[in-house]
mmCIF file of all heavy atoms in Angstrom:
data_model
loop_
_atom_site.group_PDB
_atom_site.id
_atom_site.type_symbol
_atom_site.label_atom_id
_atom_site.label_comp_id
_atom_site.label_asym_id
_atom_site.label_seq_id
_atom_site.Cartn_x
_atom_site.Cartn_y
_atom_site.Cartn_z
ATOM 1 N N ASP A 51 124.575 134.655 60.706
ATOM 2 C CA ASP A 51 124.717 135.835 61.577
ATOM 3 C C ASP A 51 125.024 137.079 60.754
ATOM 4 O O ASP A 51 125.236 137.019 59.539
ATOM 5 C CB ASP A 51 125.722 135.574 62.715
ATOM 6 C CG ASP A 51 127.182 135.592 62.285
ATOM 7 O OD1 ASP A 51 127.525 136.302 61.324
ATOM 8 O OD2 ASP A 51 127.990 134.902 62.938
ATOM 9 N N ASN A 53 127.552 138.973 60.469
ATOM 10 C CA ASN A 53 128.845 139.077 59.771
ATOM 11 C C ASN A 53 128.880 138.229 58.510
ATOM 12 O O ASN A 53 129.584 138.554 57.553
ATOM 13 C CB ASN A 53 129.991 138.588 60.673
ATOM 14 C CG ASN A 53 130.329 139.571 61.749
ATOM 15 O OD1 ASN A 53 129.999 140.749 61.633
ATOM 16 N ND2 ASN A 53 130.981 139.105 62.801
ATOM 17 N N LEU A 57 128.587 138.061 53.246
ATOM 18 C CA LEU A 57 129.472 137.204 52.440
ATOM 19 C C LEU A 57 128.672 136.315 51.485
ATOM 20 O O LEU A 57 129.241 135.610 50.660
ATOM 21 C CB LEU A 57 130.308 136.294 53.351
ATOM 22 C CG LEU A 57 131.116 136.958 54.454
ATOM 23 C CD1 LEU A 57 131.745 135.908 55.363
ATOM 24 C CD2 LEU A 57 132.196 137.840 53.834
ATOM 25 N N GLU A 93 130.525 134.846 70.266
ATOM 26 C CA GLU A 93 130.278 134.012 71.450
ATOM 27 C C GLU A 93 129.229 134.611 72.388
ATOM 28 O O GLU A 93 128.465 133.873 73.021
ATOM 29 C CB GLU A 93 131.610 133.820 72.204
ATOM 30 C CG GLU A 93 131.576 132.848 73.351
ATOM 31 C CD GLU A 93 131.489 131.370 72.912
ATOM 32 O OE1 GLU A 93 132.023 130.991 71.860
ATOM 33 O OE2 GLU A 93 130.852 130.607 73.659
ATOM 34 N N LYS A 96 125.865 133.218 72.063
ATOM 35 C CA LYS A 96 125.659 131.766 72.184
ATOM 36 C C LYS A 96 124.855 131.479 73.454
ATOM 37 O O LYS A 96 125.341 130.881 74.422
ATOM 38 C CB LYS A 96 127.015 131.055 72.214
ATOM 39 C CG LYS A 96 126.930 129.566 71.982
ATOM 40 C CD LYS A 96 128.312 128.939 71.953
ATOM 41 C CE LYS A 96 128.245 127.457 71.820
ATOM 42 N NZ LYS A 96 129.571 126.820 71.881
ATOM 43 N N GLY A 124 130.022 129.961 61.892
ATOM 44 C CA GLY A 124 131.077 129.361 62.689
ATOM 45 C C GLY A 124 130.514 128.429 63.755
ATOM 46 O O GLY A 124 129.330 128.058 63.735
ATOM 47 N N GLY A 125 131.377 128.066 64.697
ATOM 48 C CA GLY A 125 131.007 127.106 65.723
ATOM 49 C C GLY A 125 129.858 127.568 66.607
ATOM 50 O O GLY A 125 129.056 126.743 67.068
ATOM 51 N N VAL A 126 129.746 128.872 66.812
ATOM 52 C CA VAL A 126 128.652 129.368 67.645
ATOM 53 C C VAL A 126 127.316 129.008 66.989
ATOM 54 O O VAL A 126 126.406 128.491 67.637
ATOM 55 C CB VAL A 126 128.788 130.896 67.857
ATOM 56 C CG1 VAL A 126 127.501 131.504 68.368
ATOM 57 C CG2 VAL A 126 129.944 131.190 68.815
ATOM 58 N N ASP A 129 126.766 125.074 66.765
ATOM 59 C CA ASP A 129 126.410 124.522 68.086
ATOM 60 C C ASP A 129 124.958 124.862 68.443
ATOM 61 O O ASP A 129 124.202 124.008 68.914
ATOM 62 C CB ASP A 129 127.333 125.091 69.174
ATOM 63 C CG ASP A 129 128.664 124.351 69.260
ATOM 64 O OD1 ASP A 129 128.957 123.544 68.379
ATOM 65 O OD2 ASP A 129 129.420 124.599 70.230
ATOM 66 N N THR A 149 131.850 128.290 58.250
ATOM 67 C CA THR A 149 132.475 129.452 57.583
ATOM 68 C C THR A 149 133.741 129.923 58.292
ATOM 69 O O THR A 149 134.323 130.918 57.890
ATOM 70 C CB THR A 149 131.483 130.631 57.511
ATOM 71 O OG1 THR A 149 131.186 131.043 58.856
ATOM 72 C CG2 THR A 149 130.197 130.267 56.790
ATOM 73 N N THR A 150 134.113 129.240 59.378
ATOM 74 C CA THR A 150 135.373 129.600 60.053
ATOM 75 C C THR A 150 136.314 128.401 59.986
ATOM 76 O O THR A 150 135.862 127.253 59.846
ATOM 77 C CB THR A 150 135.164 129.955 61.544
ATOM 78 O OG1 THR A 150 134.663 128.789 62.220
ATOM 79 C CG2 THR A 150 134.194 131.110 61.733
ATOM 80 N N ALA A 157 134.481 122.262 65.091
ATOM 81 C CA ALA A 157 133.174 122.449 65.725
ATOM 82 C C ALA A 157 132.012 121.812 64.976
ATOM 83 O O ALA A 157 131.063 121.322 65.597
ATOM 84 C CB ALA A 157 132.907 123.943 65.925
ATOM 85 N N LYS A 162 128.521 117.374 68.857
ATOM 86 C CA LYS A 162 128.341 118.116 70.113
ATOM 87 C C LYS A 162 127.664 119.440 69.787
ATOM 88 O O LYS A 162 128.163 120.204 68.951
ATOM 89 C CB LYS A 162 129.678 118.386 70.781
ATOM 90 C CG LYS A 162 130.264 117.194 71.485
ATOM 91 C CD LYS A 162 131.441 117.656 72.315
ATOM 92 C CE LYS A 162 132.177 116.506 72.921
ATOM 93 N NZ LYS A 162 133.359 116.944 73.654
ATOM 94 N N LYS A 171 130.909 128.029 79.753
ATOM 95 C CA LYS A 171 130.942 127.573 78.363
ATOM 96 C C LYS A 171 130.170 126.272 78.179
ATOM 97 O O LYS A 171 130.351 125.327 78.952
ATOM 98 C CB LYS A 171 132.400 127.280 77.972
ATOM 99 C CG LYS A 171 133.231 128.492 77.687
ATOM 100 C CD LYS A 171 133.066 128.992 76.280
ATOM 101 C CE LYS A 171 133.485 127.993 75.235
ATOM 102 N NZ LYS A 171 133.112 128.423 73.898
ATOM 103 N N ASN A 172 129.378 126.220 77.147
ATOM 104 C CA ASN A 172 128.752 124.973 76.680
ATOM 105 C C ASN A 172 128.132 124.156 77.814
ATOM 106 O O ASN A 172 128.254 122.933 77.835
ATOM 107 C CB ASN A 172 129.795 124.100 75.951
ATOM 108 C CG ASN A 172 130.392 124.814 74.760
ATOM 109 O OD1 ASN A 172 129.746 125.662 74.155
ATOM 110 N ND2 ASN A 172 131.629 124.486 74.427
ATOM 111 N N PHE A 189 135.732 130.452 52.418
ATOM 112 C CA PHE A 189 135.132 131.313 53.444
ATOM 113 C C PHE A 189 136.216 131.912 54.347
ATOM 114 O O PHE A 189 136.057 132.988 54.914
ATOM 115 C CB PHE A 189 134.168 130.509 54.325
ATOM 116 C CG PHE A 189 132.727 130.531 53.859
ATOM 117 C CD1 PHE A 189 132.087 129.372 53.466
ATOM 118 C CD2 PHE A 189 132.004 131.714 53.855
ATOM 119 C CE1 PHE A 189 130.757 129.385 53.065
ATOM 120 C CE2 PHE A 189 130.666 131.746 53.460
ATOM 121 C CZ PHE A 189 130.048 130.578 53.060
ATOM 122 N N SER A 192 137.965 135.663 54.282
ATOM 123 C CA SER A 192 137.433 136.907 54.857
ATOM 124 C C SER A 192 137.444 136.907 56.388
ATOM 125 O O SER A 192 137.019 137.878 57.016
ATOM 126 C CB SER A 192 135.995 137.136 54.364
ATOM 127 O OG SER A 192 135.197 136.025 54.715
HETATM 128 N N1 NAD B 1 130.717 121.364 68.826
HETATM 129 C C1 NAD B 1 132.004 121.181 68.918
HETATM 130 O O1 NAD B 1 132.507 120.049 68.844
HETATM 131 C C2 NAD B 1 132.901 122.372 69.099
HETATM 132 C C3 NAD B 1 134.286 122.238 68.963
HETATM 133 C C4 NAD B 1 135.078 123.379 69.070
HETATM 134 C C5 NAD B 1 134.493 124.613 69.323
HETATM 135 N N2 NAD B 1 133.145 124.709 69.467
HETATM 136 C C6 NAD B 1 132.508 125.990 69.731
HETATM 137 O O2 NAD B 1 132.682 126.818 68.586
HETATM 138 C C7 NAD B 1 132.618 128.177 68.990
HETATM 139 C C8 NAD B 1 133.700 128.952 68.294
HETATM 140 O O3 NAD B 1 133.494 128.837 66.907
HETATM 141 P P1 NAD B 1 134.097 129.899 65.901
HETATM 142 O O4 NAD B 1 135.514 130.148 66.249
HETATM 143 O O5 NAD B 1 133.750 129.444 64.557
HETATM 144 O O6 NAD B 1 133.358 131.240 66.349
HETATM 145 P P2 NAD B 1 132.090 132.056 65.797
HETATM 146 O O7 NAD B 1 131.074 131.163 65.280
HETATM 147 O O8 NAD B 1 131.732 133.021 66.867
HETATM 148 O O9 NAD B 1 132.727 132.881 64.601
HETATM 149 C C9 NAD B 1 133.733 133.819 64.900
HETATM 150 C C10 NAD B 1 133.422 135.194 64.327
HETATM 151 O O10 NAD B 1 133.748 135.196 62.935
HETATM 152 C C11 NAD B 1 132.627 135.641 62.183
HETATM 153 N N3 NAD B 1 132.688 134.913 60.925
HETATM 154 C C12 NAD B 1 132.340 133.627 60.716
HETATM 155 N N4 NAD B 1 132.677 133.264 59.485
HETATM 156 C C13 NAD B 1 133.235 134.330 58.893
HETATM 157 C C14 NAD B 1 133.822 134.554 57.616
HETATM 158 N N5 NAD B 1 133.919 133.589 56.708
HETATM 159 N N6 NAD B 1 134.323 135.794 57.348
HETATM 160 C C15 NAD B 1 134.255 136.774 58.285
HETATM 161 N N7 NAD B 1 133.748 136.625 59.516
HETATM 162 C C16 NAD B 1 133.243 135.401 59.813
HETATM 163 C C17 NAD B 1 131.439 135.335 63.045
HETATM 164 O O11 NAD B 1 130.356 136.158 62.717
HETATM 165 C C18 NAD B 1 131.982 135.622 64.440
HETATM 166 O O12 NAD B 1 131.942 136.995 64.695
HETATM 167 C C19 NAD B 1 132.769 128.188 70.513
HETATM 168 O O13 NAD B 1 131.544 128.545 71.071
HETATM 169 C C20 NAD B 1 133.137 126.750 70.864
HETATM 170 O O14 NAD B 1 132.628 126.359 72.111
HETATM 171 C C21 NAD B 1 132.351 123.628 69.348
#
Side-chain angles (χ1 to χ4, degrees):
D51 75 29
N53 285 340
L57 306 173
E93 187 73 32
K96 195 177 176 184
V126 164
D129 278 10
T149 64
T150 63
K162 283 191 187 176
K171 283 276 299 171
N172 301 332
F189 267 117
S192 58

